């Protein structure tokens, strides 16, 4: 029996109980997970230190190391996210619609769990708990495959969550970690149609595209984030600088961070020096077009087509001066990954045009793209940001981990 097949059989056996569990029973598991995480913070940090040390030995950049790092504050945040899910409405069993047919049959559409969710992700160990907790609350079993760089952190987190499940009367295998991080086992997981109902990748473009192209299990494509800010000719420039600075520097290694700033030519001479000054505190490297360099000086690297297409995940931003909102929208259409885009403007018709014509999962007016997040949207922890259009789009919370089925009740009707 293959490794993934073994995990898959255990997940299939476990999914029935979690799918039929009451809201109170599922919430009790989440409360227990939060409790054991808090009680074992020191143990988690010890294992995380091993991953951090290994990452540095392997030459991983500090921004990527930050994705790996757990602190007491971050562990507390992970535990808090579990409690936030407790306080959210359980989508399972929700009646979506119903009707009575002319022959007397009653048809009801209800939300039900997807079944077994497979999640393949990189770096951030908080995803291990976020994904497991979301699956538990939405009545799904889960098989999680994190990256090798976070294996020690992920293993201890999974051990603690399985302990919590058992203490609450559920099979520990309701959530499982793929301990073998080899590509061969990942490929096996992508083809485990008999056991996994949906596959959700979280990570860089290479990982996501490899899964989309090679998986036979249905995939929900999530978020590479080449996110854009357009500073309109009517923008309040201090607001635009604040939004750009927050979007780029608060946490540059995440998918909702800004990568490109487009600025209207009539605002560029005043705005770009303000932006460069704000970026100095974080030593953000600006790569700009010829007009950007005319304003900021030849010390700014000339941006290439590749730069405009790149999700840097670092303290780098590409900049382009444009002549119109139409040119900005066209640039976004060409280079966007469909994640999050923002316009800063005081012109209502421009705001409306931008939101209508930009085809991304989240389109902002006068606020930071860093809000593209399940917690910030009131969804609780998220399992990812979907950049596709089927079956969900945008931040994926509890409802996005369900499907539907029809319940039909009659009294002898035949066709």
């Amino acid at each position: 029996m293959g490794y993934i097949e073994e995990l898959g059989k255990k997940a299939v056996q476990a999914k029935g109980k979690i799918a039929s569990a009451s809201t109170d029973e599922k919430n009790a598991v989440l409360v227990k997970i939060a409790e054991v995480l808090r009680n074992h913070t020191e143990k988690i940090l010890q294992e995380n230190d091993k991953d951090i040390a290994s990452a540095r030995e392997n030459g991983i950049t500090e921004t990527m190391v930050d994705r790996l790092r757990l602190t007491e504050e971050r562990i507390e945040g992970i535990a808090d996210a579990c409690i936030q899910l407790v306080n959210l409405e359980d989508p399972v069993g929700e009646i979506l619609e119903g009707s009575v047919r002319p022959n007397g049959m009653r048809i009801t559409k209800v939300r039900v769990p997807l079944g077994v969710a497979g999640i393949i992700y990189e770096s951030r160990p908080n995803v291990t708990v976020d994904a497991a907790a979301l699956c538990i609350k939405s009545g799904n079993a889960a098989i999680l495959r994190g990256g090798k760089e976070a294996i020690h952190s992920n293993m201890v987190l999974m051990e603690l969550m399985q302990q919590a499940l058992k203490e609450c009367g559920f099979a520990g295998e309701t959530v499982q970690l793929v301990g073998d991080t080899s590509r061969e086992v990942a490929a096996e997981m992508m083809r485990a149609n008999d056991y996994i109902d949906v596959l959700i990748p979280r990570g860089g473009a290479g990982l996501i595209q490899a899964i989309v192209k090679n998986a036979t299990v249905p995939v929900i494509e999530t978020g590479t984030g080449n996110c854009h800010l357009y500073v309109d000719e009517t923008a309040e420039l201090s607001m635009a600088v604040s939004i750009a600075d927050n979007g780029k520097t608060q946490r540059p290694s995440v998918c909702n961070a800004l990568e490109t700033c487009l600025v209207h030519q009539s605002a560029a001479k005043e705005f770009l020096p303000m932006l460069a000054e704000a970026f100095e505190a974080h030593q953000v490297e600006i790569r700009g077009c010829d007009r950007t360099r005319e304003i900021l000086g030849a010390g700014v690297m000339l941006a290439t087509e590749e730069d405009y297409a790149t999700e840097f995940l670092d303290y780098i931003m590409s900049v382009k001066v444009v002549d119109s909102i139409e040119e900005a929208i066209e640039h976004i259409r060409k280079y966007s990954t469909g994640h999050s885009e923002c316009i800063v403007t005081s012109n209502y018709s421009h705001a409306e045009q931008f939101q209508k014509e930009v085809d991304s999962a989240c389109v902002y007016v006068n606020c930071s793209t860093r809000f593209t997040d399940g917690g910030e949207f009131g969804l609780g922890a998220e399992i990812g940001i979907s950049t596709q259009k089927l079956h969900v789009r945008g931040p994926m919370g509890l409802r996005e981990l369900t499907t539907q089925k029809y319940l039909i009740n009659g009294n002898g009707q035949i066709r």
Side-chain angles (χ1 to χ4, degrees), residues 310-355:
T310 297
E311 182 189 27
F312 295 112
L313 301 174
D314 205 345
Y315 290 102
I316 303 169
M317 179 175 272
S318 58
V319 176
K320 184 176 183 181
V321 178
V322 297
D323 292 323
S324 65
I325 185 173
E326 288 78 17
E327 185 181 349
I329 291 171
E330 187 57 38
H331 180 101
I332 292 169
R333 284 176 179 160
K334 181 175 181 180
Y335 296 105
S336 172
T337 54
H339 194 293
S340 300
E341 329 295 346
C342 172
I343 182 174
V344 180
T345 185
S346 298
N347 185 310
Y348 178 81
S349 64
H350 282 189
E352 190 175 50
Q353 179 183 358
F354 192 84
Q355 288 191 311

Side-chain angles (χ1 to χ4, degrees), residues 24-172:
D24 286 346
E25 288 172 327
K26 292 184 289 187
N27 284 344
V29 176
L30 298 177
V31 170
K32 180 59 69 173
I33 288 174
E35 178 186 313
V36 298
L37 292 179
R38 289 176 173 134
N39 290 344
H40 293 85
T41 295
E42 191 59 37
K43 181 178 181 180
I44 296 168
L45 292 176
Q46 288 173 359
E47 295 303 305
N48 183 244
D49 285 344
K50 296 177 184 177
D51 291 327
I52 296 294
S54 178
R56 287 191 167 131
E57 286 174 11
N58 291 321
I60 293 178
T61 66
E62 280 302 310
T63 53
M64 298 307 288
V65 168
D66 182 61
R67 289 168 71 96
L68 274 177
R69 182 178 291 110
L70 292 175
T71 62
E72 288 187 13
E73 183 180 6
R74 288 184 180 181
I75 293 170
E76 182 65 26
I78 294 168
D80 284 345
C82 293
I83 301 303
Q84 289 169 14
L85 285 177
V86 169
N87 297 323
L88 292 179
E89 185 178 346
D90 186 350
V92 178
E94 177 186 350
I95 296 173
L96 301 173
E97 59 185 68
S99 64
V100 179
R101 302 299 300 150
N103 64 3
M105 284 195 317
R106 295 181 178 273
I107 301 177
T108 308
K109 186 197 293 186
V110 299
R111 287 194 189 277
V112 296
L114 289 168
V116 177
I119 299 100
I120 299 179
Y121 53 102
E122 296 173 325
S123 296
R124 290 188 288 171
N126 66 291
V127 176
T128 302
V129 180
D130 288 351
L134 279 161
C135 287
I136 289 166
K137 179 72 183 239
S138 57
N140 294 289
I143 298 175
L144 311 179
R145 192 270 191 188
K148 63 182 179 180
E149 67 278 1
I151 189 63
H152 295 97
S153 306
N154 290 339
M155 287 178 69
V156 69
L157 292 170
M158 182 56 66
E159 175 191 330
L160 294 171
M161 288 190 292
Q162 290 184 334
Q163 174 187 323
L165 279 159
K166 291 173 184 176
E167 289 183 23
C168 293
F170 290 88

Side-chain angles (χ1 to χ4, degrees), residues 2 22 36 39 50-52 78 82 99 104 118 165 172 196-197 200 213 232 251 255 289-290 344 351 380 389 411 414:
S22 70
V36 298
N39 290 344
K50 296 177 184 177
D51 291 327
I52 296 294
I78 294 168
C82 293
S99 64
L165 279 159
I196 299 175
D197 295 288
I200 303 170
K213 291 175 182 177
D232 190 35
R251 201 170 181 191
C255 62
C289 64
D290 287 328
V344 180
K389 299 182 181 181
N411 55 3
I414 60 173

